[in-house]
Amino acid sequence: MDPVSQLASAGTFRVLKEPLAFLRALELLFAIFAFATCGGYSGGLRLSVDCVNKTESNLSIDIAFAYPFRLHQVTFEVPTCEGKERQKLALIGDSSSSAEFFVTVAVFAFLYSLAATVVYIFFQNKYRENNRGPLIDFIVTVVFSFLWLVGSSAWAKGLSVFGFLNFILWAGNIWFVFKETGWHSSGQRYLSDPMEKHSSSYNQGGYNQDSYGSSSGYSQQASLGPSSDEFGQQPTGPTSFTNQI
């Protein structure tokens, strides 16, 4: 049996059914969609110049552009309608910075999601051995959530829909990663300790009150009259008195 089959038969891939690993696998998939749709995007437009002299007109001027969308570098020629002279023009705009930032975030998110998924599947014990692994995972998840939000907002085009989907996935996964850290368990202990102390102090106070009440009642009954030991006498029965004249 090959190693992959052995791991699958041993139930190693069952971790993908947990929310943490399942969302990480979705982040891996949507990161591919994000940088593939933006990095591989290409488009074009068609212009037409209609002159009075129809022989000078050009009704089909095709202009192509693509990632990284440096439109000011896309040039084309149009007729001037003054003989055979032509004028060289360029498109307006430069979206390269936001587009390249978006693709860079998508590529690094893909690489981290891939590495994290491998760790979840094959090195789960090492990941949870101490708090360092979940803590690093939590910080990186928060950072990528912020980067996806910034990248999608800056790249305000139709392609940014994948950016917002990635932001929702990464932001939603913050809670599941946080549960793996020691901060979550310490927070639960902090909330449970005061309640336990309050409960124990309440029970202890009730017990002391009852015992005090019973002991005080007993002491009060015992001290109603002087005891015979105080006079150095012991009870020997009824005492008779005679009158002497």
Side-chain angles (χ1 to χ4, degrees), residues 64-78:
F65 57 90
Y67 174 85
F69 308 107
R70 294 187 177 92
L71 301 181
H72 65 285
Q73 296 181 357
V74 179
T75 59
F76 55 95
E77 292 183 352
V78 296

Side-chain angles (χ1 to χ4, degrees), residues 161-180:
V161 62
F162 287 107
F164 285 113
L165 287 176
N166 277 277
F167 166 72
I168 293 173
L169 285 175
W170 284 82
N173 205 15
I174 291 176
W175 167 247
F176 297 103
V177 180
F178 176 74
K179 290 175 64 177
E180 299 292 330

Side-chain angles (χ1 to χ4, degrees), residues 1 28 45 51 61 63 75 92 96 108-109 112 120 133 137 140 159 161 180 198 200 211 216 219 237 241 245:
M1 184 181 295
L28 173 67
L45 54 91
C51 301
I61 304 174
I63 306 172
T75 59
I92 300 174
S96 59
F108 279 101
Y112 181 79
Y120 295 159
D137 197 12
V140 174
L159 296 175
V161 62
E180 299 292 330
H198 178 73
S200 62
S211 62
S216 62
S219 300
F241 298 90
I245 302 174

Side-chain angles (χ1 to χ4, degrees), residues 131-187:
N131 193 39
R132 182 177 300 176
L135 182 59
I136 295 175
D137 197 12
F138 173 73
I139 295 175
V140 174
T141 302
V142 173
V143 171
F144 269 108
S145 299
F146 176 74
L147 292 178
W148 276 119
L149 180 62
V150 173
S152 302
S153 301
W155 182 235
K157 304 291 187 298
L159 296 175
S160 63
V161 62
F162 287 107
F164 285 113
L165 287 176
N166 277 277
F167 166 72
I168 293 173
L169 285 175
W170 284 82
N173 205 15
I174 291 176
W175 167 247
F176 297 103
V177 180
F178 176 74
K179 290 175 64 177
E180 299 292 330
T181 63
W183 296 341
H184 180 260
S185 57
S186 62

Side-chain angles (χ1 to χ4, degrees), residues 2-208:
D2 58 313
V4 176
S5 300
Q6 291 179 356
L7 291 172
S9 61
T12 306
F13 288 94
R14 291 180 182 177
V15 71
L16 291 175
K17 296 181 180 179
E18 299 179 2
L20 177 63
F22 179 72
L23 288 177
R24 196 66 80 192
L26 287 180
E27 291 168 359
L28 173 67
L29 182 62
F30 277 85
I32 296 175
F33 291 153
F35 72 75
T37 52
C38 183
Y41 183 86
S42 62
L45 54 91
R46 175 172 293 180
L47 300 179
S48 60
V49 178
D50 191 8
C51 301
V52 177
N53 186 357
K54 299 300 182 181
T55 58
E56 299 176 354
S57 300
N58 190 345
L59 303 179
S60 180
I61 304 174
D62 294 325
I63 306 172
F65 57 90
Y67 174 85
F69 308 107
R70 294 187 177 92
L71 301 181
H72 65 285
Q73 296 181 357
V74 179
T75 59
F76 55 95
E77 292 183 352
V78 296
T80 61
C81 298
E82 296 177 357
K84 295 183 178 180
E85 295 182 2
R86 303 179 67 85
Q87 184 179 3
K88 189 175 183 180
L89 301 177
L91 297 178
I92 300 174
D94 184 6
S95 302
S96 59
S97 59
S98 57
E100 290 174 347
F101 177 80
F102 183 85
V103 172
T104 301
V105 172
V107 171
F108 279 101
F110 164 76
L111 294 175
Y112 181 79
S113 299
L114 179 61
T117 304
V118 172
V119 171
Y120 295 159
I121 295 175
F122 300 104
F123 305 100
Q124 186 67 232
N125 295 332
K126 291 292 185 181
Y127 173 77
R128 295 179 175 176
E129 191 175 28
N130 51 48
N131 193 39
R132 182 177 300 176
L135 182 59
I136 295 175
D137 197 12
F138 173 73
I139 295 175
V140 174
T141 302
V142 173
V143 171
F144 269 108
S145 299
F146 176 74
L147 292 178
W148 276 119
L149 180 62
V150 173
S152 302
S153 301
W155 182 235
K157 304 291 187 298
L159 296 175
S160 63
V161 62
F162 287 107
F164 285 113
L165 287 176
N166 277 277
F167 166 72
I168 293 173
L169 285 175
W170 284 82
N173 205 15
I174 291 176
W175 167 247
F176 297 103
V177 180
F178 176 74
K179 290 175 64 177
E180 299 292 330
T181 63
W183 296 341
H184 180 260
S185 57
S186 62
Q188 287 184 332
R189 288 196 301 268
Y190 177 78
L191 292 175
S192 61
D193 288 345
M195 296 184 65
E196 292 177 357
K197 291 180 180 179
H198 178 73
S199 178
S200 62
S201 61
Y202 177 79
N203 294 333
Q204 185 177 3
Y207 174 77
N208 292 335

